[in-house]
Amino acid sequence: MSFLSRHTLARHTLLLLVAAMAVLALTYGLSPYRNYQLATMAAYLCATAGLTVLVGLSGQLSLGHGALMAVGAYACALSSAELGDRGTTGPLLLLVPLACAIVATAVVGAVVGLAGARLHGPYLAGLTLTLTIVVPAITTTFADQLGGDQGLSVLVEPAPVGLGATFPLERWQAWIACAAALLTVFLLANLVHSRFGREMRAVRDDEVAARLAGINVGRTKVIVFVVSAATAGLGGGVLAVLTQAVSPGAFSLAFSLFLLMAVVIGGIGHLAGAVWGALLLVALPELTGSLADRIDASPALAERLDGNLSLLVFGLVLVLVTILFPRGIHGLVTTAFGRLRRRTPDSPPGTTAARPSTTTTSTESIDA
Amino acid sequence: MDRFIFLTVDGLARGAVFAAFALALVLIWRGARIVNFSQGAMAAASTYVAYSVTTATGSYWLGLAAAILSGLLIGAGAERLVMRFVDARQPLNAVIVALGLVLVIQAVLGIVYGSEYRPMKVPFSRTPLSIGDQALLSPYDLFVFGTVVVVMVGLGWAFTRTDLGLTMRAAAFAPDMARLLGVNVGRMLTLSWGLAGAVGGLAALLVVPTELGAHPHATDLVFVYAFTAAVVGGLDSPIGAVVGGLGVGLVLSYVSGYSGSDISAVVILGVLIGVLLLRPSGLFGHTSARLV
Amino acid sequence: MSDSLLAVRGLTAGYGGAPVLQGIDLDVAAGTIVAVVGANGAGKTTLLRALCGTIPVSAGTVTWDGDPLRGTRTEDLVRRGIAHVPEGRGVITELTVEENLRLGHVWRKDKADGRRATDEVYEMFEPLTRRRRSAGHQLSGGERQMLAIGRALVARPRLMMLDEPSLGLAPKVSAQIMALLKRRCDETGLTVLLVEQNVRSAMSIADHGVVLSLGRVVASDSADRIAADDDLRHAYLGF
Amino acid sequence: ACGGGSDSAASAPGVTDTSIVVGTHQPLTGPAAAGYSTISPATKAYFDYVNDNGGVHGRTIKYLVEDDGYNPANTQTVVRELVLKDKVFAIVNGLGTPTHTGVLDFLKTNKVPDLFVASGSRSWNQAEKYPTTFGFQADYTTETKVQATYIKENLADKKVCFLGQDDDFGQDALLGLTQVLGEDGVAERQKYVTSNTNVAPQIGKLKAAGCEVVSLATVPGFTALAIGTAARLKFQPQWISTSVGADYATLSAALGEAAPLLEGFLSTNYLPSAFDDSDPWITLFKKINKDYNGDKPFTGNTVYGMTVGYLFVQALQETGKDLTREGLVETMESGALDGPGLTSPRYSKDDHAGYGGAQMAKVTGDSQAYFGPVYATDDQEGTEVAVFDGEATTPPAKGIPAAK
Amino acid sequence: MNIETHVTPCDGSRSGAHLTVQDVTVQFGGLTALSDVGFEVRPGQVLGVIGPNGAGKTTLFNVVCGFTRPQTGHLTLDGRPFRPAPQRLVRSGVSRSLQGLGLFPGLSVLENIVAGAGGAARTGWWSGLLALPRTDRDERELHDRAAALIDELGLGAHAHAQPGTLPYAVSKRVALARALVSEPRLLLLDEPAGGLGHDEVLELAELIMSLPSRGAGCSVMLVEHHVDLVMQVCDELVVLDFGRVIATGTPAVVREDPAVAEAYLGAEVDV
Ligand SMILES: Nc1ncnc2c1ncn2[C@@H]1O[C@H](COP(=O)(O)OP(=O)(O)OP(=O)(O)O)[C@@H](O)[C@H]1O
Ligand SMILES: Nc1ncnc2c1ncn2[C@@H]1O[C@H](COP(=O)(O)OP(=O)(O)OP(=O)(O)O)[C@@H](O)[C@H]1O
Ligand SMILES: [Mg+2]
Ligand SMILES: [Mg+2]
């Protein structure tokens, strides 16, 4: 135990392995459609995890993460087409495009991050918001390369034959996506628990004091933006692989805003919150949709209710959840968990789940 | 040259409505320190009210009054019934709730009015008056300009010169302190939202007839451009909103006219980055904040 | 004790967890200066906050001029004659000096007197005169403190609650302020509830002193006697 | 049909002895819902009509309509939901070029028949690459080739210009014009994007260039915007629009008081005109609209939706009781379908496009009526635009295609 | 903007001064906040800067920290020209506490203090990303340093509290700890005694007087209105009024200066 609390890498790797096993087992229990949903959720998780770190911990508001995902998706599509032309097959056809997605988005993120480093609140929001309307503009301007509105299709190989002929494609997709998501969360968890994680929260809280503490505020902001963009790019790339297609319409302004909603409702600034958020992005539309489907109406009314009713429910849920659980689902869960723990007599006083684990190392040494 | 004048005039006319909308955003930013993402949807709702009233009575002006009044009520209602209960310690929650409101409002509009575009009337001709061979502004454009200027001057005056404006700003900047100074912060917030709703409703009523007509999503893009305009101008400044709005209108017009409308969004982004790099709080924002 | 302007009985209040203030009794007679002193963390600021209703009160009564004060909303206090200069000044930094001062009296019907009071403030705090149109965030620490005090004065309150007014002020200015408060009390019947770290200067102008410790009143007596009580000083005030 | 031995009817996804489940993706909400959200209810109404009349080979058709908001990402999800979770037998009339393009690969992998895609893109006609996907509309190129032929014959000395959406819709449409009129035949070409509702700069340019005929590849809202803006700029060319943006009911509603500007407005179309009460198809569809569609306004979209329904029922009838996905695709390729169109759909082994012809229509007074010959052609460069020599079909008894 | 300490030696005169300020003038619009201010801080010295409100004391600190660029004048640190930039200060061995508190509200007390020690870290952000073992070692070192200071300043009970819930005096001590944890050679303190009670001021005085003998030897610049404290701990005073130096010298000398009494101390105040 104390070995684990002293070695972040060992602790996080262990968690990673446990999570991977759990996901693996899960994919065998799910139907193809559920596996596809799991895969989509994992792709979203790449983006929401990066976004929650960016917004919640470094204090930079991005309304354009959907656009960054688009960059990743297009990079993935273009590079897979290029590789396809060269006759590449096998794992390279998957890994290289995803790497391209990460790199391309990181570069774009660096540019935006540099431009945005001096901006605050709504000004950064305005800048990133504009990114989302630029995506379709760029795809139509370079329609020959980017396929315009219609987008590009992505060259994807089926599941490896080694897995057997009847192995469902969706399970394979879930593996790919979950691997990417776990890796993302693992790295982000490392980062958040490191010195850099503390520094970005310091920058968020008070830029002047942060500078006086020797923190290079601009650099910190840009790095977080780049990291966050890279994870969004990976998410976009994975999404492209899952759907075998990219098009500008899939990365609309609304999508970017939904990503933000997801991280806030999940519990901003917490990776666990990002998981909740990604889950919501996948599950909530389906739930509200099926709820709305229950209602039987005359043809004339049905035409108007169709779609709109589930939007209405969706909107109401967002409003209510945000008001009732201001710290998001993660906050709700930790509070409930904390209450449960407090009732158990042998738990040490004053420990809360929200405390970063690095501090526990020296808690003892100080209190002693 | 003719073409340049044509594009300039066209861009200004278009920019004026962005400016009107940006003013509503500035109003709420000054009065409540949040960017109201539901401004567009609220304004769309007001235009539908105006549409219904005008259809029922045949009078544009009654519709206009209805748009302003309903905007006021919708804005104030959103604050009293929803935004007031949002945890102020979580700065983003208000944004998320506003986005939730967008969905709710648009869904309700879709259910009530369906998803077809409803054409709306304009009170004055949209045929441009021309001098010689050169088509210039239409009477309607002049009407829009006049309205925008009146709103801008009115807001600027109200905010800086009147006691009400002062208390509204105080309530927005420092609610706790304002309370100690006798400001009824809740009422000020309601008022800010109401006024912003009214200005937004008015702005939407100016712009929607020039586009495809009333629609739950009719103001989505206008919102985006108006937000950009407000950011360019500086969210605290009514003049900035107008300058930003006209600027965005001109850029869109020149780019579509000289190069092709597909890259206009890219140019807007370029302008935005350029302005913000030089002035991180917009053209008319304060930049000389003392740090320590 | 019905002659006191402000009467506090059994006030218990805090920040969610265990209460910070535990059964405070306090009387402030009209036209007097009552100084509340105590070590850091004793609950002085919390007391003023509880009186203003900015934190929830769990028990006790507060009577203002014979009427119960609980239930009065914070924003109505000024209209009832209570002004509060909170700890940390509360200058609205986005507004200019002029606007901050105007805010102090916007609610008053008597505009002319509001302007007169503003002029008096400018006269008193010369640095503010030079900075009329500067935004609050441009001011130095001491200038902000002056502004906060001035803003409370223009409301022409009957009771002024000041939380460490001398914080960040040059000795000369803080002496001026103390003198001013004393003068206003004598001349216009102003009542002052003063929280101060600087016990000596507080007691020098106060009529009555209250010592807080760990959220309780441990001594309440005339200022002279408090100042002279060595045991008290050693036990609670540290000198 | 001749499905493989193991593919008995019961094992085809979505098919039982008493029902067939099919699905579609449509924009019911969002900015693109305008003009499209009335199509799927019309199709459903036709299916309900058939179901009430005994169904197809004893099976009732269940039509699952999923809202994708014209967002390709949503399309991905809802189509997978339909195929993997709801196990639909086929996707019918999935709407939109960018939306549907994204699911082609998925539908192909899962061998799902993908019939009557609702868009005039040429992408659906790739029999080699996407063997289960079939188009429906006359593609944009076909329509503009017919327009160009009309221009050549009737407006020969006029200056012809073009305004089109900045995507494949506009490109394909422009292609048809230039194929017939030559590269120089189209003097000024302007594009617009849906994200910018101000088309004055483009219209100004067309006016300045002295255009006399303007061919439009625009969605209805932008057709109305273009006409309205042009009138403000005192520019009144002869407009010729593709069917996408030419529905008179929609346009006159959008123009409101300015609707008289539509007088003389030309367009092409490939389905019976909703205004033509003498057409037996229209009589049939109006009756179904009254009984099964809440008697909603009868527009071109209603005709469109019901035509899709009719063609699908016909395909099922032709395939027979022993229903398999392979069988359905074979029926499609057999060329047996002959729906209400002005020409018949041209489906064959290597042609998966839809209707292969169109006719000119003109707005006079309060209605939009066809005139002149029906032309048949396809999207290929070399193919002539010829007068269609086939006969217009008429509805069968009761309006339900007969079983094979 | 961020020009680091130049390494070119400044015309030979490697005098005893740790920091020198020469002819510094700062104007804000029409207002002159500092005009031709010059003085020096010697190693191990506690230099007090006093003056009326708005005299320019904080502005002077801002110049030394690089938050404000003076219109004229220049600084040297250890004999070399010094173009300060806030984020590099810590590495130049300079540290500052803010006039308010300037704590990070979202970080615990411990984290606040550790954040001040970041300049000593040896690993970059990407080793953190990969959670390399050396970042753990690095973090432990920073934590140990912070823990030592926490013990020294008696903050142990509050190590995991959020700054917002602390009594003011404790917060002040946390802010001081954060400035000290980087082991600066020059410490700038802006009103460290503001809001402190009598006991706390005495403790603070002792702490300040102990600084010059701390570690490698630390000089202090102190801005304070608490005259007792200033007189007790400072070796030398610089008095500013309207941005001008109106007096310098030992506390005893300055106290007797009539100009100082007039501008700052006030006649009737006995100190
Ligand atoms: N916002 C808060 N949340 C929780 N606890 C608080 C809060 N503010 C103050 N406290 C606690 O309440 C107690 C009393 O604090 P208070 O600020 O009233 O003391 P004070 O006498 O004004 O001290 P000081 O002289 O330092 O200003 C302290 O223990 C403090 O930690
Ligand atoms: N960024 C700025 N913009 C405009 N004026 C400024 C700015 N910074 C400081 N000033 C002005 O310069 C003068 C000096 O300010 P400074 O903060 O240095 O005073 P100070 O000596 O620290 O006073 P105090 O003891 O009250 O803290 C003040 O009048 C202040 O208002
Ligand atoms: Mg206090
Ligand atoms: Mg200062």
Side-chain angles (χ1 to χ4, degrees):
Chain A
M1 182 61 213
S2 92
F3 172 81
L4 283 183
S5 68
R6 291 170 70 90
H7 291 84
T8 315
L9 185 58
R11 190 173 65 245
H12 287 179
T13 310
L14 188 71
L15 286 174
L16 176 72
L17 290 177
V18 170
M21 301 304 279
V23 168
L24 195 67
L26 183 65
T27 57
Y28 276 95
L30 294 181
S31 70
Y33 179 62
R34 296 291 171 210
N35 264 325
Y36 175 75
Q37 285 187 309
L38 177 67
T40 322
M41 179 193 145
Y44 289 158
L45 177 55
C46 295
T48 54
L51 185 60
T52 206
V53 169
L54 180 75
V55 181
L57 300 182
S58 89
Q60 303 183 80
L61 178 55
S62 167
L63 302 181
H65 256 51
L68 292 172
M69 288 183 81
V71 172
Y74 272 95
C76 185
L78 290 173
S79 53
S80 78
E82 181 68 34
L83 289 178
D85 286 348
R86 296 180 184 197
T88 312
T89 51
L92 277 187
L93 192 54
L94 176 67
L95 296 178
V96 174
L98 287 181
C100 288
I102 295 174
V103 172
T105 323
V107 171
V108 173
V111 174
V112 179
L114 278 172
R118 289 207 302 155
L119 305 181
H120 292 113
Y123 294 93
L124 183 58
L127 178 66
T128 47
L129 179 86
T130 320
L131 281 186
T132 60
I133 58 168
V134 163
V135 169
I138 289 186
T139 53
T140 40
T141 308
F142 300 100
D144 290 345
Q145 294 82 37
L146 302 179
D149 256 6
Q150 220 167 326
L152 302 171
S153 68
V154 183
L155 200 60
V156 184
E157 296 219 329
V161 266
L163 291 169
T166 56
F167 192 86
L169 175 66
E170 283 75 16
R171 189 180 298 150
W172 171 240
Q173 291 179 322
W175 287 6
I176 296 173
C178 289
L182 285 174
L183 185 72
T184 304
V185 172
F186 169 74
L187 291 176
L188 285 175
N190 290 345
L191 194 66
V192 167
H193 286 102
S194 74
R195 174 169 68 93
F196 190 75
R198 184 174 55 244
E199 289 183 353
M200 62 199 187
R201 285 180 291 141
V203 166
R204 168 197 68 188
D205 284 354
D206 189 334
E207 288 195 8
V208 169
R211 290 170 78 183
L212 284 176
I215 299 169
N216 188 330
V217 170
R219 180 168 168 273
T220 305
K221 283 180 159 185
V222 174
I223 290 175
V224 184
F225 209 104
V226 170
V227 170
S228 176
T231 63
L234 177 60
V238 170
L239 211 53
V241 168
L242 295 185
T243 57
Q244 304 177 30
V246 293
S247 57
F251 301 97
S252 59
L253 170 60
F255 179 59
S256 287
L257 296 179
F258 276 129
L259 286 177
L260 187 69
M261 287 184 193
V263 297
V264 171
I265 291 193
I268 189 124
H270 300 276
L271 291 171
V275 178
W276 288 115
L279 180 66
L280 277 184
L281 277 180
V282 172
L284 203 52
E286 185 178 330
L287 287 179
T288 55
S290 64
L291 202 71
D293 280 349
R294 297 268 163 75
I295 294 175
D296 252 337
S298 70
L301 188 59
E303 184 186 316
R304 289 178 172 184
L305 288 183
D306 244 340
N308 279 322
L309 196 61
S310 60
L311 271 192
L312 180 64
V313 178
F314 194 97
L316 285 177
V317 169
L318 283 184
V319 171
L320 288 178
V321 169
T322 318
I323 288 177
L324 295 179
F325 311 119
R327 295 196 303 126
I329 301 178
H330 176 73
L332 183 72
V333 171
T334 42
T335 322
F337 193 62
R339 237 177 248 149
L340 217 69
R341 287 251 296 237
R342 227 169 293 142
R343 238 173 267 154
T344 343
D346 59 357
S347 67
T351 46
T352 68
R355 183 179 303 160
S357 53
T358 36
T359 58
T360 46
T361 10
S362 37
T363 315
E364 296 100 42
S365 61
I366 295 160
D367 292 347
Chain B
M1 193 58 208
D2 277 4
R3 181 142 180 83
F4 179 76
I5 294 174
F6 169 74
L7 291 174
T8 307
V9 167
D10 184 59
L12 288 177
R14 184 98 188 123
V17 292
F18 293 146
F21 215 87
L23 279 171
L25 287 172
V26 166
L27 193 54
I28 243 176
W29 175 253
R30 294 190 83 162
R33 293 279 111 182
I34 83 160
V35 174
N36 179 14
F37 279 87
S38 59
Q39 191 86 65
M42 282 163 39
S46 313
T47 48
Y48 270 115
V49 173
Y51 169 80
S52 299
V53 169
T54 302
T55 314
T57 64
S59 157
Y60 175 85
W61 301 106
L62 281 179
L64 181 83
I68 295 175
L69 191 70
S70 61
L72 193 82
L73 292 178
I74 293 171
E79 199 281 325
R80 291 291 319 218
L81 302 176
V82 182
M83 303 312 291
R84 178 158 297 192
F85 302 100
V86 179
D87 189 341
R89 286 166 303 174
Q90 315 279 336
L92 276 179
N93 285 15
V95 173
I96 303 306
V97 170
L99 292 174
L101 278 183
V102 173
L103 296 181
V104 172
I105 293 174
Q106 287 178 342
V108 169
L109 291 178
I111 291 171
V112 175
Y113 289 94
S115 60
E116 302 308 319
Y117 284 96
R118 310 285 177 116
M120 309 230 338
K121 291 216 281 193
V122 288
F124 303 105
S125 160
R126 294 197 60 215
T127 311
L129 309 167
S130 33
I131 296 178
D133 223 14
Q134 182 64 54
L136 290 175
L137 292 167
S138 71
Y140 183 71
D141 293 337
L142 294 175
F143 169 63
V144 173
F145 275 125
T147 315
V148 168
V149 168
V150 167
V151 172
M152 177 192 84
V153 172
L155 284 184
W157 175 79
F159 263 119
T160 50
R161 297 269 181 276
T162 67
D163 287 347
L164 186 68
L166 181 65
T167 46
M168 274 168 77
R169 280 153 72 208
F173 290 129
D176 291 335
M177 192 58 228
R179 232 171 248 128
L180 288 176
L181 292 169
V183 177
N184 188 332
V185 173
R187 195 180 300 158
M188 289 305 133
L189 288 180
T190 312
L191 191 64
S192 294
W193 277 80
L195 280 181
V199 173
L202 174 66
L205 195 65
L206 294 179
V207 63
V208 166
T210 69
E211 300 204 331
L212 301 172
H215 187 267
H217 292 267
T219 46
D220 285 8
L221 269 170
V222 183
F223 172 79
V224 172
Y225 286 127
F227 184 34
T228 313
V231 167
V232 165
L235 271 162
D236 267 307
S237 158
I239 296 183
V242 171
V243 172
L246 295 179
V248 168
L250 283 176
V251 168
L252 284 177
S253 179
Y254 290 143
V255 174
S256 325
Y258 286 124
S259 141
S261 59
D262 48 352
I263 62 158
S264 49
V266 181
V267 177
I268 295 274
L269 177 69
V271 170
L272 189 64
I273 290 183
V275 168
L276 291 182
L277 280 183
L278 296 176
R279 298 189 59 95
S281 311
L283 289 174
F284 291 82
H286 323 275
T287 38
S288 59
R290 175 178 178 171
L291 296 173
V292 211
Chain C
M1 286 279 187
S2 54
D3 56 332
S4 51
L5 188 60
L6 183 76
V8 180
R9 291 288 171 277
L11 187 71
T12 302
Y15 302 92
V20 173
L21 299 179
Q22 317 207 0
I24 301 281
D25 294 336
L26 180 74
D27 285 285
V28 184
T32 63
I33 300 182
V34 174
V36 178
V37 296
N40 286 126
K44 306 180 293 291
T45 300
T46 309
L47 172 62
L48 296 194
R49 286 188 186 147
L51 291 177
C52 288
T54 49
I55 58 167
V57 171
S58 48
T61 59
V62 180
T63 332
W64 166 250
D65 206 7
D67 298 328
L69 197 63
R70 261 180 91 177
T72 308
R73 289 177 308 178
T74 309
E75 53 256 42
D76 293 333
L77 287 177
V78 204
R79 290 182 182 77
R80 300 193 62 179
I82 303 177
H84 181 191
V85 182
E87 187 175 42
R89 307 181 182 115
V91 163
I92 300 183
T93 53
E94 289 87 348
L95 303 182
T96 63
V97 170
E98 252 176 6
E99 287 171 331
N100 266 290
L101 286 177
R102 190 146 66 90
L103 202 52
H105 67 85
V106 270
W107 56 273
R108 292 181 61 195
K109 296 268 179 319
D110 189 349
K111 296 288 163 208
D113 187 58
R115 277 192 294 274
R116 214 173 312 128
T118 310
D119 289 340
E120 287 169 24
V121 168
Y122 280 133
E123 225 165 274
M124 204 157 25
F125 300 120
E126 192 268 336
L128 294 185
T129 322
R130 284 180 281 140
R131 319 245 43 190
R132 279 170 187 253
R133 290 180 197 282
S134 304
H137 63 74
Q138 295 181 330
L139 301 186
S140 79
E143 288 165 345
R144 293 184 201 196
Q145 186 69 286
M146 296 177 204
L147 180 55
I149 296 171
R151 193 177 52 190
L153 284 173
V154 295
R156 297 247 194 255
R158 293 171 67 196
L159 172 70
M160 248 178 110
M161 304 200 283
L162 296 141
D163 200 344
E164 307 205 13
S166 63
L167 179 70
L169 288 180
K172 184 176 154 188
V173 180
S174 88
Q176 272 174 4
I177 287 176
M178 294 298 172
L180 170 87
L181 292 176
K182 183 83 191 147
R183 203 167 57 241
R184 286 279 165 100
C185 285
D186 297 343
E187 290 171 5
T188 66
L190 175 73
T191 310
V192 175
L193 183 57
L194 175 69
V195 165
E196 251 302 343
Q197 284 295 348
N198 191 338
V199 179
R200 242 183 301 164
S201 72
M203 291 305 166
S204 71
I205 61 159
D207 301 295
H208 197 86
V210 174
V211 182
L212 279 192
S213 175
L214 298 175
R216 291 176 201 279
V217 175
V218 290
S220 172
D221 208 334
S222 82
D224 300 339
R225 253 170 294 174
I226 297 261
D229 189 333
D230 285 344
D231 294 344
L232 202 63
R233 283 210 332 243
H234 285 303
Y236 299 110
L237 306 173
F239 62 97
Chain D
C2 338
S6 62
D7 282 326
S8 84
S11 77
V15 180
T16 68
D17 282 347
T18 54
S19 71
I20 306 168
V21 185
V22 292
T24 189
H25 61 90
Q26 301 279 330
L28 304 180
T29 59
Y36 296 135
S37 57
T38 51
I39 295 177
S40 53
T43 312
K44 194 167 171 14
Y46 185 82
F47 289 155
D48 288 344
Y49 172 71
V50 172
N51 291 344
D52 279 0
N53 284 284
V56 184
H57 297 296
R59 299 183 178 108
T60 54
I61 302 173
K62 191 162 174 230
Y63 192 42
L64 302 178
V65 182
E66 293 285 345
D67 176 25
D68 65 8
Y70 211 75
N71 177 334
N74 294 349
T75 315
Q76 295 283 356
T77 310
V78 298
V79 166
R80 277 175 174 80
E81 187 178 345
L82 288 170
V83 171
L84 298 175
K85 189 172 151 223
D86 301 327
K87 304 248 184 312
V88 294
F89 175 63
I91 297 289
V92 174
N93 200 223
L95 192 148
T97 309
T99 48
H100 198 76
T101 305
V103 292
L104 286 178
D105 284 314
F106 170 76
L107 292 175
K108 173 189 173 183
T109 313
N110 286 274
K111 301 193 173 64
V112 182
D114 176 23
L115 312 185
F116 316 124
V117 181
S119 126
S121 164
R122 299 186 296 159
S123 315
W124 324 131
N125 183 15
Q126 300 186 65
E128 289 274 302
K129 194 166 170 204
Y130 298 112
T132 58
T133 295
F134 293 83
F136 167 69
Q137 297 180 196
D139 57 60
Y140 306 127
T141 311
T142 298
E143 280 201 52
T144 46
K145 277 171 87 171
V146 172
Q147 287 177 13
T149 308
Y150 172 82
I151 292 171
K152 225 169 156 178
E153 287 169 5
N154 300 287
L155 304 162
D157 46 353
K158 306 270 185 191
K159 189 163 194 179
V160 180
C161 302
F162 174 78
L163 173 67
Q165 190 157 305
D166 193 3
D167 59 14
D168 66 305
F169 172 26
Q171 280 159 17
D172 288 359
L174 184 59
L175 185 69
L177 287 182
T178 51
Q179 273 187 18
V180 175
L181 299 175
E183 279 298 329
D184 306 333
V186 185
E188 183 65 50
R189 300 149 191 208
Q190 288 288 313
K191 303 181 285 190
Y192 73 91
V193 288
T194 45
S195 57
N196 185 352
T197 42
N198 183 21
V199 291
Q202 292 92 327
I203 300 291
K205 190 97 189 194
L206 294 175
K207 182 188 179 194
C211 302
E212 293 163 291
V213 175
V214 177
S215 168
L216 294 173
T218 48
V219 291
F222 277 83
T223 311
L225 271 183
I227 294 174
T229 308
R232 287 198 291 116
L233 301 179
K234 303 207 179 70
F235 172 50
Q236 281 179 309
Q238 174 64 59
W239 303 103
I240 305 186
S241 168
T242 54
S243 60
V244 175
D247 182 45
Y248 178 72
T250 312
L251 289 182
S252 60
L255 281 167
E257 288 172 358
L261 289 172
L262 288 169
E263 185 67 28
F265 177 83
L266 294 176
S267 60
T268 38
N269 205 337
Y270 51 91
L271 291 179
S273 162
F275 292 91
D276 186 358
D277 283 330
S278 66
D279 189 308
W281 289 106
I282 298 300
T283 320
L284 170 70
F285 289 161
K286 278 200 164 165
K287 182 172 164 293
I288 297 175
N289 186 53
K290 185 154 172 287
D291 297 342
Y292 290 89
N293 202 22
D295 204 13
K296 285 186 286 202
F298 190 81
T299 65
N301 280 342
T302 322
V303 178
Y304 187 113
M306 295 203 183
T307 304
V308 167
Y310 179 90
L311 285 179
F312 183 62
V313 169
Q314 191 177 31
L316 291 178
Q317 295 282 36
E318 290 286 330
T319 311
K321 180 138 188 76
D322 190 10
L323 187 59
T324 62
R325 285 176 164 174
E326 293 80 359
L328 184 68
V329 170
E330 264 173 47
T331 309
M332 290 296 293
E333 290 184 338
S334 72
L337 300 195
D338 54 351
L342 303 179
T343 67
S344 313
R346 291 176 324 199
Y347 303 123
S348 72
K349 193 98 193 127
D350 35 39
D351 191 346
H352 283 196
Y355 287 98
Q359 190 176 8
M360 295 295 299
K362 183 175 195 163
V363 173
T364 27
D366 227 4
S367 93
Q368 192 172 29
Y370 285 112
F371 67 94
V374 177
Y375 289 101
T377 183
D378 64 23
D379 58 353
Q380 295 308 309
E381 171 81 61
T383 319
E384 288 292 308
V385 181
V387 175
F388 178 63
D389 51 7
E391 276 197 17
T393 52
T394 49
K398 289 187 77 182
I400 299 175
K404 193 168 100 178
Chain E
M1 186 176 136
N2 308 328
I3 298 162
E4 226 185 327
T5 315
H6 285 291
V7 272
T8 42
C10 163
D11 57 2
S13 65
R14 224 171 180 291
S15 70
H18 186 185
L19 172 81
T20 66
V21 174
Q22 290 168 28
D23 304 330
V24 165
T25 299
V26 172
Q27 285 174 319
F28 298 109
L31 179 125
T32 306
L34 291 176
S35 108
D36 287 335
V37 172
F39 60 87
E40 55 181 52
V41 188
R42 286 185 301 279
Q45 190 187 31
V46 179
L47 178 84
V49 181
I50 58 174
N53 296 117
K57 304 178 294 295
T58 302
T59 306
L60 178 63
F61 272 20
N62 284 349
V63 169
V64 176
C65 293
F67 281 115
T68 304
R69 282 252 166 274
Q71 270 82 13
T72 66
H74 63 274
L75 313 175
T76 68
L77 187 69
D78 289 329
R80 297 194 204 95
F82 181 46
R83 292 284 303 271
Q87 62 266 31
R88 288 179 215 274
L89 273 185
V90 173
R91 256 176 287 158
S92 326
V94 182
S95 188
R96 169 182 179 178
S97 75
L98 292 167
Q99 185 166 359
L101 286 170
L103 294 180
F104 306 115
L107 272 59
S108 71
V109 165
L110 175 69
E111 287 179 306
N112 259 286
I113 298 173
V114 177
R122 284 183 299 267
T123 52
W125 66 274
W126 53 270
S127 2
L129 187 69
L130 300 174
L132 299 182
R134 55 186 176 157
T135 59
D136 285 339
R137 280 199 297 277
D138 219 23
E139 276 287 282
R140 264 198 299 279
E141 265 172 46
L142 300 188
H143 272 84
D144 289 347
R145 272 214 218 179
L149 254 179
I150 282 179
D151 278 346
E152 188 182 333
L153 296 183
L155 292 167
H158 305 286
H160 293 293
Q162 299 290 303
T165 64
L166 297 175
Y168 194 76
V170 178
S171 311
K172 275 285 211 201
R173 240 180 303 154
V174 177
L176 195 61
R178 196 182 60 198
L180 277 176
V181 74
S182 65
E183 296 177 358
R185 301 208 28 245
L186 172 63
L187 180 63
L188 310 180
L189 297 174
D190 201 348
E191 299 198 21
L196 294 193
H198 192 267
D199 274 356
E200 281 83 1
V201 175
L202 289 184
E203 276 170 32
L204 179 68
E206 242 152 69
L207 179 75
I208 294 177
M209 288 190 291
S210 75
L211 288 175
S213 52
R214 240 182 116 85
C218 175
S219 6
V220 179
M221 273 177 78
L222 173 68
V223 165
E224 187 47 75
H225 290 299
H226 198 293
V227 178
D228 289 351
L229 175 72
V230 172
M231 296 297 167
Q232 186 187 353
V233 305
C234 293
D235 302 314
E236 196 172 339
L237 292 180
V238 172
V239 188
L240 292 179
D241 189 20
F242 288 114
R244 244 170 254 285
V245 179
I246 58 166
T248 52
T250 61
V253 171
V254 166
R255 188 198 292 245
E256 301 308 323
D257 191 320
V260 178
E262 159 67 23
Y264 180 60
L265 299 172
E268 70 268 56
V269 179
D270 55 332
V271 280

